[in-house]
């Protein structure tokens, strides 16, 4: 009974998280219509507290820019970077994992050593180094986070592929005369992918955090508002204007939590089906 | 424009401060002053590196020949008692203070001045290389006299103005015959100052102790000074509030926090004491970019900037609009009679249209890269503001932010910028660090100089003539012409001038006792009970 309750609670949490995430996505996508204020333009007195002026419900920052507009623009940056980096990381990771797992032998060995070489460097430090070398632009931030995130899906897929290689339906496909690349793409890959989906969700969460941390350290694209950068800017006036750091901090925490919960929900949802398959 | 807030901020605090000081006159001996430091320069020798980050610590240990002072004549003797230039500008007589000893017990003599002048200031020091470039020899007829000989006329006024920042004296004995830049005493400082260098724990603190053998006995009043290394600005404000540190100079506390701190009992915000090191916020322009080589475009950029907004919002009132390259404080050279560019976006757009840069279908006239210097909160914020101000007149600026070393290389060596936000310092004479921003023909890599690709014969001529003008009145006239030319051609756009603020516990006395107090020797500073 307790496990059923737990599952129920988890499902509820995942559902709520999914709703929250959808809300964030919608807000980020429709920011220009929902709240048509230029997030970069000084529009009112500086350091207006939240709820003081209905025209600027969340107040303004040090330069008199609307905080709500900046939060929405920051959501865009966060989600753009996170989805971009995750897509790149998953594509590269799956390709390398599939190749290593399917080829086996020396190729597998050397590719896995490469993966390990990336994994022994903490992901955040790797991203930090890459961004400081190649400059703080949106594309480099995306690529740096992707470079730090691809080894995990690669290992996962490789393990799945190695296991599936010996599965009966794969042997059957081989016997039926399919060549290896075909078997790998048509038979093995679709069956190796399900565990990657929840992992991708976790990667998104990690990417949002890495982007936030990079921005906090001043290593984000200065032409785009970013939650991490907003927290860092607000830190200087933490005592006199705490909302400048608190609000983007809360947005960041809520998004990461929501993505994580959705990821967990996906894992739960996908696990039984795999067991049945 | 003087807003009411600015007026209050600029007058009330120093007045209160003065009043308090008048009532507690007799200095008390003892106590260790704990102050915040936010940088740890690798080379801490002020004879080699003339920068405020170095002076902040080193000026207490190693003294210059003279220090700036309020009122006339603006200088106060330190290691030199008097200085006098010859009529032809080819020599300058220095009478040195007798009976002064370095912290290692040896005597300070004219031989030390001669060595420092020729080997350190002239050859290696960032500012000395400019001011002492024609220094040929230093004669030392007796231990208390040094005569500087110049190969070309050098204004005595310039040398006198340069004494506070450029003439720190270290013992010749410890430097002669070594590579000065690799000398261990660039970290373990030895000088004549009121405090001796004890130790530096990287990332933690610098510790100085009282020099009992100081020439100006019974000063110094303090038993020692500890510089706590606190790189986080929020932490500095908290340390001041809790009384962990007594003082933070150079606006180490965020401006937005200043107003809150000023209201707390036991803490004072002091605006005085930085007039001698006035900074400017400027827009640096790369004239290699063809649009920016057109003076109409540069004027348009100047018209697009709302200086009042910059003063009110970015500096929270603690700054003044700049009218030219020389700050108002220096009445000897300043002139307000120069072309001005008031905030007028319409005029800016008209100038751009006139220059043939019309708005495209997307409303953009042209795009450029804008590099705000990363070292001050205000330079970064100015970058964000300028991006918006330019957007309003149809110029699309892309912000590029680098670390300090990367920024310096991009702007002053590689010229890889279109616009940059810079913060040049005015150091008591236009010839020390100001004309270098306008003269042409400098090799790439000279930081904080004209790396803008701008060359104007009339300007070069004025700078050259002024550098050789011995007569102070003639110099002043030439530098007024310099300001006019600078604002007419507008190779860089001065935006505002600003100094810093000191936040101190109210028991610290004699704060801001001279116009470059934070980088002076603090011999007269004391702690009330």
């Amino acid at each position: 009974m307790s496990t059923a309750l737990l599952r129920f609670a988890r499902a509820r949490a995942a559902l709520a998280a999914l709703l929250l995430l959808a809300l964030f996505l919608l807000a980020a996508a429709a920011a220009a219509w929902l709240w048509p204020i230029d997030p970069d333009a000084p529009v009112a007195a500086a350091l207006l507290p939240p709820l003081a002026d209905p025209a600027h419900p969340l107040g303004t920052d040090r330069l008199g820019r609307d905080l709500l507009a900046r939060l929405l623009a920051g959501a865009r940056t966060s989600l753009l970077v996170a989805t971009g980096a995750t897509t790149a990381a998953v594509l590269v990771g799956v390709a390398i994992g599939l190749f290593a797992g399917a080829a086996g032998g020396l190729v597998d060995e050397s590719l896995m050593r490469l993966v390990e070489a990336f994994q022994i460097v903490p992901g955040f430090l790797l991203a930090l180094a890459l961004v400081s070398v190649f400059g703080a632009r949106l594309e480099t931030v995306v690529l740096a986070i992707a470079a730090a995130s691809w080894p995990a899906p690669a290992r996962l897929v490789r393990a799945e592929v190695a296991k599936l290689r010996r599965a009966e339906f794969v042997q059957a496909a081989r016997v039926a005369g399919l060549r290896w690349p075909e078997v790998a793409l048509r038979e093995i890959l679709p069956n190796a992918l399900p565990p990657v989906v929840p992992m991708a969700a976790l990667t998104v969460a990690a990417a949002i955090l890495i982007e936030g941390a990079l921005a906090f350290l001043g290593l984000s694209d200065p032409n785009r508002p970013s939650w991490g950068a907003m927290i860092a800017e607000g830190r200087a006036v933490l005592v006199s204007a705490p909302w400048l750091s608190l609000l983007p901090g809360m947005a960041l925490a809520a998004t990461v939590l929501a993505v994580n919960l959705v990821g967990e929900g996906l894992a739960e949802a996908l696990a039984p089906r795999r067991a049945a398959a | 424009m003087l807003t009411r807030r600015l007026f209050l901020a600029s007058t009330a605090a120093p007045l209160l401060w003065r009043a308090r000081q008048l009532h507690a006159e007799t200095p008390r001996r003892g106590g260790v002053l704990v102050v915040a430091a936010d940088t740890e320069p690798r080379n801490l020798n002020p004879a080699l590196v003339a920068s405020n980050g170095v002076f902040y610590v080193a000026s207490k240990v190693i003294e210059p020949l003279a220090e700036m002072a309020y009122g006339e004549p603006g200088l106060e003797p330190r290691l030199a008692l008097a200085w006098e230039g010859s009529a032809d500008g080819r020599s300058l007589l220095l009478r040195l203070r007798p009976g002064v000893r370095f912290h290692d017990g040896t005597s300070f003599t004219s031989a030390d001045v001669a060595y420092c002048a020729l080997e350190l200031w002239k050859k290696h020091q960032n500012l000395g290389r400019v001011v002492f470039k024609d220094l040929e020899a230093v004669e030392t007829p007796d231990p208390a006299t040094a005569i500087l000989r110049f190969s070309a006329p050098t204004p005595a006024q310039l040398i006198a103005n340069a004494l506070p920042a450029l003439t720190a004296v270290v013992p010749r004995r410890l430097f002669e015959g070594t590579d000065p830049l690799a000398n261990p005493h660039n970290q373990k400082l030895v000088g004549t100052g009121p405090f001796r260098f004890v130790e530096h724990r990287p990332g933690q603190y610098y510790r100085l102790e009282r020099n009992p053998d100081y020439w100006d006995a019974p000063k110094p009043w303090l038993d020692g000074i500890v510089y706590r290394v606190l790189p986080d600005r929020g932490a500095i404000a908290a340390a001041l509030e809790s009384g962990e540190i007594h003082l933070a100079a150079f606006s180490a506390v965020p401006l937005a926090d200043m107003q809150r701190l000023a209201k707390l009992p036991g803490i004072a915000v002091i605006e005085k004491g930085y007039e001698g090191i006035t900074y400017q916020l400027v827009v640096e322009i790369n004239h290699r970019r063809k649009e920016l080589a057109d003076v109409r475009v540069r004027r348009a950029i100047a018209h697009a900037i709302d200086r009042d907004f910059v003063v009110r919002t970015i500096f929270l009132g603690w700054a003044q609009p700049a009218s030219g390259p020389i700050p108002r404080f220096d009445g000897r050279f300043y002139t307000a009679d120069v072309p001005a560019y008031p905030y007028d976006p319409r005029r800016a757009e008209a100038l751009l249209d006139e220059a043939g840069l019309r708005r495209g279908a997307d409303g953009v006239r042209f795009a450029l890269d804008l590099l705000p210097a990363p070292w001050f909160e205000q330079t970064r914020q100015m970058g964000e503001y300028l991006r918006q101000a330019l957007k309003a007149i149809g110029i699309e600026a892309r912000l590029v932010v680098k670390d300090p070393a990367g920024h310096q290389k991009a702007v002053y060596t590689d010229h890889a910028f279109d616009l940059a936000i810079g913060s040049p310092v005015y150091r008591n004479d236009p010839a020390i660090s100001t004309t270098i921003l306008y003269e042409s023909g400098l090799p790439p890599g000279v930081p904080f100089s004209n790396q803008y690709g701008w060359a104007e014969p009339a300007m070069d001529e004025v700078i050259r003539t002024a550098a050789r003008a011995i007569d102070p009145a003639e110099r002043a006239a030439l530098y007024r012409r310099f300001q006019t030319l600078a604002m007419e051609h507008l190779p860089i756009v001065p935006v505002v001038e600003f100094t810093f603020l000191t936040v101190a516990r109210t028991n610290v006395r004699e704060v801001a006792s001279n116009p470059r107090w934070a980088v002076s020797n603090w011999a007269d500073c004391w702690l009330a009970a």
Side-chain angles (χ1 to χ4, degrees), chain B residues 440 455-462 464:
Chain B
S440 68
E456 171 57 43
M459 183 57 119
D460 286 336
E461 179 60 28
V462 166
R464 212 170 16 239

Side-chain angles (χ1 to χ4, degrees), chain B residues 112-296:
Chain B
D112 298 299
V113 174
Y115 173 79
C116 289
L118 287 168
E119 299 300 320
L120 305 183
W121 309 338
K122 179 189 169 172
K123 284 193 185 157
H124 296 290
Q125 192 198 78
N126 49 332
L127 301 176
R129 277 195 298 234
V130 181
V131 173
F132 292 110
K133 66 177 186 302
D134 296 322
L135 182 69
E136 198 173 42
V138 181
E139 284 166 29
T140 53
D142 66 71
T145 310
I147 304 167
L148 310 185
R149 297 269 180 217
F150 296 95
S151 60
T154 303
Q157 187 191 30
L158 166 61
I159 302 296
N161 288 342
L163 292 178
L166 279 70
T167 62
V169 182
V170 293
R172 175 178 76 151
R173 196 177 64 80
L174 299 178
F175 278 81
E176 198 167 40
T178 68
D179 171 8
L181 296 178
N183 194 296
H185 294 287
N186 292 336
Q187 282 82 38
K188 270 201 76 65
L189 305 177
V190 177
T192 59
F195 297 94
R196 289 170 170 168
F197 188 86
V198 181
E199 63 174 335
H200 171 210
R201 286 270 172 88
Q204 294 182 48
Y205 61 82
Y206 292 95
R207 193 154 67 83
L208 312 182
E209 65 173 18
R210 184 173 188 274
N211 173 12
D213 197 23
Y214 189 51
W215 54 263
D216 197 10
K219 289 177 193 167
W221 306 114
L222 297 169
D223 285 336
I225 305 173
V226 170
Y227 292 81
R228 287 263 316 272
V229 177
L230 295 167
D232 184 81
R233 300 152 68 78
I236 293 178
L240 268 166
E241 278 185 75
S242 67
E244 255 180 83
I245 58 172
H246 294 107
L247 182 143
F250 286 110
S251 301
V253 174
L255 287 184
D257 246 10
M258 262 337 154
Q259 279 150 329
R260 184 181 63 83
L261 285 174
K263 287 188 203 111
L264 296 178
I267 291 184
V269 174
I270 303 138
E271 205 178 356
K272 261 186 80 186
Y274 296 94
E275 298 84 349
I277 38 178
T278 301
Y279 281 67
Q280 283 199 334
L281 195 71
V282 304
V283 181
E284 299 173 289
I285 296 171
N286 192 344
H287 295 251
R288 295 166 191 89
R289 180 74 195 250
K290 72 171 191 315
E291 293 92 337
L292 301 174
D294 187 330
V295 69
R296 288 172 297 194

Side-chain angles (χ1 to χ4, degrees), chain B residues 253-389:
Chain B
V253 174
L255 287 184
D257 246 10
M258 262 337 154
Q259 279 150 329
R260 184 181 63 83
L261 285 174
K263 287 188 203 111
L264 296 178
I267 291 184
V269 174
I270 303 138
E271 205 178 356
K272 261 186 80 186
Y274 296 94
E275 298 84 349
I277 38 178
T278 301
Y279 281 67
Q280 283 199 334
L281 195 71
V282 304
V283 181
E284 299 173 289
I285 296 171
N286 192 344
H287 295 251
R288 295 166 191 89
R289 180 74 195 250
K290 72 171 191 315
E291 293 92 337
L292 301 174
D294 187 330
V295 69
R296 288 172 297 194
V297 176
R298 303 199 294 272
R299 288 176 182 160
I301 291 173
H303 279 301
I305 299 170
D306 182 355
R307 289 170 181 72
D308 218 42
F309 176 88
V310 178
V311 168
R312 259 186 300 114
T313 307
I314 297 182
F315 287 91
L316 297 172
W318 278 298
Q320 291 194 70
S323 65
I326 294 178
R328 285 175 178 78
F329 172 74
D330 198 341
R332 299 167 301 173
F333 299 109
Y334 175 76
T335 173
D337 186 19
V338 296
Y341 303 92
Y343 175 55
D344 187 351
R346 271 203 206 153
R347 174 106 191 81
E349 298 229 40
L351 280 164
L352 290 170
D353 284 339
E354 205 183 297
L357 298 163
R358 303 204 165 267
R359 280 184 187 258
D362 54 353
V364 177
R365 298 171 192 273
F366 64 102
L368 45 72
D369 279 353
L370 169 61
L371 280 71
W375 35 82
F376 295 127
E377 188 190 358
Q378 288 79 25
T379 47
R380 293 191 301 266
Q381 289 175 347
M382 180 66 199
E384 295 188 24
Y385 165 69
L386 185 61
R387 175 166 173 253
Q388 285 305 304

Side-chain angles (χ1 to χ4, degrees), chain B residues 16-25 508-512:
Chain B
L16 286 175
W17 184 247
R18 277 272 148 237
R20 206 167 14 234
Q21 279 188 332
L22 287 176
H23 286 286
E25 276 307 338
V508 188
R509 298 299 155 83
E510 291 303 320
V511 175

